[in-house]
Amino acid sequence: MTDHLLEVQQLSVEFHTTGGRVKAVQDVSWHLDSGDVLAILGESGSGKSVSAAAVMDLIDMPPGKITSGKILFNGSDLLQMSRTERRKINGQKIAMIFQDPLSHLNPVYTAGWQIEETLTIHGTSKKQARQQTLELLERVGIPDPATSAKKYPHQFSGGQRQRLMIAMALALRPDILIADEPTTALDVTVQAQILALLNDLQNETGMGLLLITHDLGVVAEIAERVVVMNAGRIVEQGTARDIYRNPSHPYTKELIAAAPGKGDMPADHSRRPEALLSVQGLSKSFGLFEAVKDVSFDLMAGECVAIVGESGSGKSTLANTLLRLQEASTGQAIYKGRDLFTLSAKDLFAIRREIQMVFQDPTQSLNPRMSIYQLISEAWVIHKEILPRTLWNDRVHELLNQVGLSPEHAKRYPHQFSGGQRQRIAIARALALEPKIIICDEAVSALDVQVQAQVIALLSRLRKELDLAYLFIAHDLPVVRDFADRVIVMQNGRIVEQGSVRKIFENPSQPYTRSLLASSLDPDPDIQAARRATRQVESAEQDTRT
Amino acid sequence: MQCLTRASGIDQLNNTGTDTLLVADAPSPVIQIFRMLWRDKLATTAAIFLLAVICCALFGPMLLEDVATKQNLRGRNAPPFDFSTAWTFWLGGDALGRPLLARIIVAASNTIMVAAGAVFFSLLIGSTLGLIAGYTSKLGSQIIMRLADVIMSFPSLLLAVIVLYMLPASVGNLIIVLAITRIPVYLRTARAEVLEIRERMFVQAATIMGASTPRIVFRHILPLVFPTLITIATLDFAFVMLAESSLSFLGIGIQPPEITWGLMVAQGRPYLTSAWWLSFWPGLAIILTTLSLNLLSNWMRVALDPQQRWRLETSQQSD
């Protein structure tokens, strides 16, 4: 009974909100042993983080309330302990790392100071703490530990900050490390490195690792066992391979089916002869820094071109310059025989209609003070020639139907919808202008997998119905695999490689494209295991060579 | 949509609730506003109080002018709560034996006119300039901001003395002086908020649609800045009332026999130890008016925000 290191039994947590009581998790039970890697998998709002928060005593009470259950750590119930007793366990025995390392590091202290502090608080001498800090920094792969310890958090990259967080969490040699979405904010190549680091550290120290994630790929990469949660309940648990191979619950089946990058790639169709938008030699620099360097590509009518790159690759700057949100430094973008970059304000206004954009975060791209009707009809307030006022109501309803929402939604405000629904509203708004090209800047990155699949299906349908061309910007290769016709891979502001989807995915010619493909995580544990093995062989070969 | 986030799920529940309510009796917008006001009892009280003050300001001078200015030396510093006297003396009498209650009612007119006028004009001019400074080129913004710095670095009393030295002291001129000295507050707040909001995605989305600058500023940015400005304006109301009294004290503001609450506080000051009620009652009037405005503006901030409005729309199932 008590032979597990950490065991959560029949845990139920409620939150009192103005809308009544919300049962965040109900009857959740799981356990973790030392040397074990358990993943809790769920979409946003599934309650996946709640049980870990209960373990760490992070639930605010009230409004939260633990209505039933036990949390046993080494056989004693954490919920019966006093705050002081729990503080001795938190940090020392159970440590936690979070999604966004920047907001969890204090910006006014150096990285080294913050790690030392963790050690000295728990009774290590100053001198020893400094020594240990340098060892830890070295262990988590921070280059040049002595200099790095004197740097401030903002001087590190996102991946390095997550390494710092891991160093801090491991400083006291905890028995359990809880990682809440540790790699969600990171680029794929960095994500792979961080997961590898976590895996190594876990093997080395024999600690228990609890990973909370929404990503099947992360589960496949690192977890032995997985708990699948939906709407506050555990729907299924078992080993990662069993769950992936033989999901028994319909929710798990849907979740696995929704994972991107599994469908058929579109055949290499012949492109239409004339380019709708032709970008030539586009560069954009901010001072001395060149964000986009000499980018050229064509977008045909009705075609979907995906631009893939990691953060800092210049893909969003490219979109912004095409829309004249930022002025290009040099280059041309020929649309219907005219250069977008030299258009006068008046000509630009006419062309605005035809090139629209859907943003990454629909929460921010919809004005919170406007109703859905106002948001969509704003297009016709601005461009009066599109539609006479008497038809607005019908057209709003038609557009809402087209994007899979119901006409009654027109009276509501953006905050009353879920993320996926908001993105549909943003798409409806773009469609209101009857554009020829829609630029999707990370349009599905902030959405859950299932919703992501739905929005992509919607975009594909609209493309066929309305003969739209998409410029689809993403950081994630699998997402564009079943959707795009062509892929452009960008790195450091340059186009590394471009070609049809089939060519990029099956026969990438550039090493960067290959590393991107290799780092993106496959939801199949077996495939990930095979990839891990090849990586190890490669690194071993490199070691022997050097 | 099976994947509602938890929070929006709650909102949706609330919303379906209100929707059915709206469909059921479909009240006009005015009735809806009254309903929302009624839900917040404090704001209702505040609104009623302010309505009373406005009535005093409108009709007080007409009805009580003579009573309020009639001296009665036997009733000098008459104590309050002596219910054997006429009702106008229930709050006591001032140093010249004039009834305080009547004077407060009459003084409401000047006080509210000066305060409301000054706050309105400083709000209007300050926020307009702030919106311009926040949304124009660097140069335009620089010019406006340095102008604001000049006003701010100039002691407001000195400015008032200079202006009122050149112009006769009247309600109109007092409003101008007080408005000018308060402009920078709105200007700086408005500009700071605009600078933040203009970078938000939905402003970019509007730009991409081809929205003109006035449309972006008035339709997209102003509604988000407005609640903050209104809150500052209500707080400023009290400040302006007291500033006006200090001008009167210096002899350059409203002069007796004209009266304002601020002037009454100032006039009662020498008697504070012997007759506290001379300053207390007009002071209380200032406090209650400002407090009511604050409560009402707080209600308005919620009522104007679609994300918060449900708090006033749904009944007390919460708590």
Side-chain angles (χ1 to χ4, degrees):
Chain A
M1 175 82 198
T2 55
D3 45 5
H4 297 300
L5 180 59
L6 178 70
E7 185 168 9
V8 172
Q9 291 177 351
Q10 309 287 317
L11 184 76
S12 298
V13 180
E14 287 182 353
F15 286 94
H16 288 265
T17 66
T18 37
R21 281 188 302 182
V22 176
K23 288 179 179 154
V25 293
Q26 291 178 66
D27 286 338
V28 166
S29 307
W30 48 259
H31 63 89
L32 182 70
D33 296 315
S34 34
D36 202 7
V37 185
L38 174 72
I40 301 183
L41 178 73
E43 302 191 316
S44 50
S46 64
K48 61 183 184 295
S49 300
V50 176
S51 49
V55 171
M56 295 300 281
D57 196 16
L58 290 175
I59 297 175
D60 285 327
M61 295 187 273
K65 192 182 169 203
I66 295 173
T67 47
S68 72
K70 282 184 187 169
I71 299 173
L72 301 175
F73 175 70
N74 276 334
S76 45
D77 189 358
L78 291 178
L79 297 178
Q80 305 299 326
M81 288 185 190
S82 70
R83 276 271 151 96
T84 342
E85 284 172 308
R86 295 193 75 172
R87 265 203 292 276
K88 281 193 194 132
I89 291 177
N90 281 3
Q92 286 198 53
K93 303 282 181 205
I94 310 177
M96 188 161 181
I97 57 174
F98 301 90
Q99 174 174 357
D100 179 10
L102 186 56
S103 55
H104 289 276
L105 288 167
N106 191 330
V108 301
Y109 293 110
T110 59
W113 190 92
Q114 295 186 50
I115 300 173
E116 273 171 44
E117 192 203 16
T118 333
L119 287 161
T120 45
I121 283 178
H122 291 278
T124 319
S125 75
K126 270 250 160 79
K127 206 174 155 202
Q128 215 182 341
R130 189 151 307 148
Q131 185 56 36
Q132 278 189 19
T133 301
L134 296 184
E135 283 166 16
L136 277 166
L137 287 176
E138 178 144 30
R139 181 61 201 89
V140 297
I142 299 276
D144 196 2
T147 337
S148 297
K150 296 200 187 80
K151 285 189 190 168
Y152 289 89
H154 72 269
Q155 292 169 300
F156 293 94
S157 70
Q160 284 176 330
R161 280 185 216 130
Q162 196 57 280
R163 286 171 194 267
L164 290 176
M165 284 294 292
I166 293 172
M168 216 185 268
L170 293 182
L172 298 164
R173 305 181 185 283
D175 297 335
I176 294 173
L177 179 66
I178 301 178
D180 191 352
E181 301 268 13
T183 56
T184 309
L186 305 175
D187 283 329
V188 269
T189 47
V190 185
Q191 162 169 302
Q193 293 161 8
I194 295 285
L195 289 177
L197 172 67
L198 281 173
N199 213 359
D200 288 353
L201 289 169
Q202 191 263 334
N203 286 334
E204 219 173 273
T205 58
M207 63 183 175
L209 178 62
L210 174 65
L211 194 84
I212 300 163
T213 183
H214 68 279
D215 193 343
L216 272 167
V218 172
V219 174
E221 169 72 12
I222 192 167
E224 287 150 22
R225 288 184 303 119
V226 59
V227 169
V228 185
M229 289 197 64
N230 182 32
R233 287 177 187 280
I234 292 182
V235 295
E236 198 164 357
Q237 54 180 318
T239 67
R241 179 174 292 115
D242 281 350
I243 297 273
Y244 184 75
R245 291 272 171 248
N246 312 303
S248 59
H249 195 276
Y251 174 77
T252 325
K253 283 180 191 158
E254 272 175 42
L255 199 66
I256 290 170
K262 289 278 134 191
D264 291 332
M265 279 185 271
D268 281 352
H269 63 95
S270 53
R271 303 176 81 188
R272 295 189 204 178
E274 81 292 356
L276 184 61
L277 174 71
S278 172
V279 177
Q280 286 152 18
L282 169 63
S283 296
K284 167 74 187 167
S285 40
F286 299 97
L288 289 174
F289 174 69
E290 280 188 295
V292 176
K293 291 171 227 168
D294 195 23
V295 164
S296 307
F297 64 91
D298 289 336
L299 176 68
M300 311 299 169
E303 187 181 46
C304 175
V305 171
I307 299 180
V308 180
E310 303 194 311
S311 51
S313 63
K315 55 194 194 303
S316 291
T317 313
L318 174 65
N320 287 348
T321 42
L322 285 179
L323 288 159
R324 291 274 298 264
L325 287 172
Q326 287 161 350
E327 297 297 324
S329 306
T330 54
Q332 284 183 315
I334 309 292
Y335 175 78
K336 288 190 174 169
R338 292 199 293 179
D339 182 7
L340 286 178
F341 298 151
T342 54
L343 285 182
S344 68
K346 200 173 144 234
D347 294 337
L348 183 66
F349 176 75
I351 276 182
R352 286 264 186 240
R353 262 192 72 176
E354 299 180 16
I355 307 178
Q356 275 303 300
M357 181 147 165
V358 175
F359 293 86
Q360 170 171 10
D361 185 355
T363 317
Q364 287 177 34
S365 68
L366 301 173
N367 189 333
R369 302 251 161 169
M370 288 165 88
S371 70
I372 306 313
Y373 177 84
Q374 286 170 322
L375 282 165
I376 295 177
S377 63
E378 183 174 32
W380 309 314
V381 180
I382 295 167
H383 295 270
K384 293 195 176 58
E385 72 284 357
I386 300 180
L387 205 65
R389 195 170 206 115
T390 44
L391 299 177
W392 285 11
N393 213 11
D394 294 339
R395 180 73 176 130
V396 167
H397 291 176
E398 190 184 328
L399 281 168
L400 284 175
N401 275 329
Q402 205 164 22
V403 298
L405 293 170
S406 108
E408 295 103 74
H409 289 154
K411 266 183 275 170
R412 297 192 186 174
Y413 288 87
H415 70 275
Q416 292 167 321
F417 296 89
S418 67
Q421 287 173 317
R422 278 182 217 154
Q423 200 57 293
R424 286 165 190 265
I425 294 163
I427 294 169
R429 173 174 67 177
L431 291 179
L433 288 164
E434 294 159 15
K436 300 272 182 298
I437 301 176
I438 295 185
I439 300 181
C440 302
D441 188 1
E442 302 269 8
V444 296
S445 310
L447 306 174
D448 281 329
V449 220
Q450 289 195 28
V451 185
Q452 197 175 52
Q454 289 163 6
V455 171
I456 286 182
L458 168 68
L459 288 171
S460 317
R461 179 166 61 79
L462 292 171
R463 175 176 153 204
K464 282 190 204 104
E465 283 174 16
L466 306 170
D467 195 32
L468 292 167
Y470 291 125
L471 203 57
F472 192 89
I473 296 169
H475 64 276
D476 206 5
L477 272 166
V479 174
V480 305
R481 185 175 174 270
D482 6 324
F483 176 57
D485 299 312
R486 289 176 69 77
V487 179
I488 296 174
V489 181
M490 281 185 76
Q491 185 194 21
N492 296 334
R494 285 184 194 284
I495 293 183
V496 178
E497 185 168 6
Q498 60 175 312
S500 69
V501 186
R502 213 166 262 276
K503 176 175 169 284
I504 295 285
F505 277 85
E506 285 176 354
N507 197 8
S509 64
Q510 296 297 316
Y512 180 70
T513 317
R514 280 203 289 271
S515 84
L516 262 188
L517 278 170
S519 333
S520 60
L521 299 174
D522 196 280
D524 187 337
D526 290 336
I527 294 182
Q528 275 311 126
R531 282 191 191 161
R532 258 200 314 276
T534 40
R535 268 207 302 272
Q536 266 157 8
V537 171
E538 273 171 20
S539 66
E541 277 171 6
Q542 270 178 355
D543 285 348
T544 48
R545 245 176 276 150
T546 48
Chain B
M1 294 276 87
Q2 55 268 71
C3 296
L4 294 173
T5 61
R6 203 181 314 137
S8 61
I10 301 160
D11 279 348
Q12 288 220 321
L13 287 178
N14 281 326
N15 196 65
T16 39
T18 43
D19 264 4
T20 45
L21 187 136
L22 292 188
V23 174
D25 40 340
S28 72
V30 181
I31 295 177
Q32 241 171 302
I33 288 170
F34 274 116
R35 257 192 208 164
M36 283 200 276
L37 187 59
W38 185 244
R39 286 268 151 68
D40 187 345
K41 295 296 183 291
L42 272 177
T44 318
T45 323
I48 291 169
F49 179 80
L50 286 176
L51 215 61
V53 171
I54 290 169
C55 286
C56 290
L58 288 178
F59 306 112
M62 226 154 48
L63 302 171
L64 292 168
E65 182 85 74
D66 295 338
V67 187
T69 50
K70 196 170 154 234
Q71 297 184 8
N72 174 9
L73 292 178
R74 263 183 306 172
R76 285 184 64 194
N77 291 353
F81 310 123
D82 182 358
F83 297 114
S84 59
T85 56
W87 67 272
T88 48
F89 274 97
W90 285 357
L91 295 184
D94 74 352
L96 294 172
R98 294 172 294 197
L100 275 177
L101 183 57
R103 283 177 73 74
I104 287 175
I105 291 172
V106 174
S109 171
N110 274 337
T111 313
I112 299 298
M113 188 132 76
V114 170
V119 168
F120 174 76
F121 283 111
S122 53
L123 173 66
L124 185 74
I125 298 167
S127 40
T128 314
L129 288 176
L131 286 174
I132 296 171
Y135 208 77
T136 50
S137 61
K138 218 167 182 177
L139 182 70
S141 162
Q142 284 289 326
I143 292 171
I144 292 174
M145 290 316 287
R146 294 300 79 78
L147 271 176
D149 288 348
V150 168
I151 297 179
M152 284 195 95
S153 58
F154 219 82
S156 52
L157 271 181
L158 186 61
L159 183 77
V161 171
I162 293 170
V163 172
L164 293 174
Y165 174 74
M166 293 188 290
L167 303 168
S170 70
V171 171
N173 290 335
L174 206 57
I175 290 176
I176 293 174
V177 169
L178 290 170
I180 290 174
T181 56
R182 299 309 291 166
I183 283 175
V185 179
Y186 301 97
L187 200 161
R188 285 171 163 253
T189 318
R191 175 172 171 273
E193 291 246 316
V194 171
L195 286 181
E196 187 257 322
I197 293 168
R198 66 179 286 184
E199 298 302 324
R200 292 209 199 162
M201 284 301 195
F202 61 83
V203 175
Q204 273 188 32
T207 318
I208 289 165
M209 272 202 238
S212 60
T213 307
R215 184 168 174 83
I216 289 176
V217 170
F218 290 110
R219 193 73 186 84
H220 290 278
I221 296 180
L222 185 61
L224 278 103
V225 184
F226 196 64
T228 317
L229 292 176
I230 283 290
T231 310
I232 297 177
T234 55
L235 291 172
D236 232 25
F237 220 81
F239 180 90
V240 168
M241 279 191 231
L242 293 173
E244 170 266 317
S245 77
S246 57
L247 286 180
S248 307
F249 182 72
L250 284 176
I252 46 177
I254 300 271
Q255 292 304 313
E258 289 286 311
I259 38 175
T260 64
W261 290 342
L263 189 59
M264 286 174 74
V265 174
Q267 282 175 342
R269 209 180 46 95
Y271 304 95
L272 261 185
T273 45
S274 55
W276 53 267
W277 51 92
L278 261 62
S279 291
F280 178 77
W281 296 120
L284 189 69
I286 294 177
I287 292 170
L288 286 180
T289 311
T290 326
L291 187 68
S292 305
L293 276 166
N294 245 310
L295 289 171
L296 203 64
S297 81
N298 203 19
W299 167 82
M300 203 152 83
R301 194 173 49 77
V302 177
L304 282 178
D305 188 345
Q307 282 186 50
Q308 307 270 336
R309 197 178 289 156
W310 59 268
R311 291 174 200 278
L312 298 169
E313 280 173 344
T314 46
S315 47
Q316 293 79 6
Q317 62 185 354
S318 52
D319 305 325

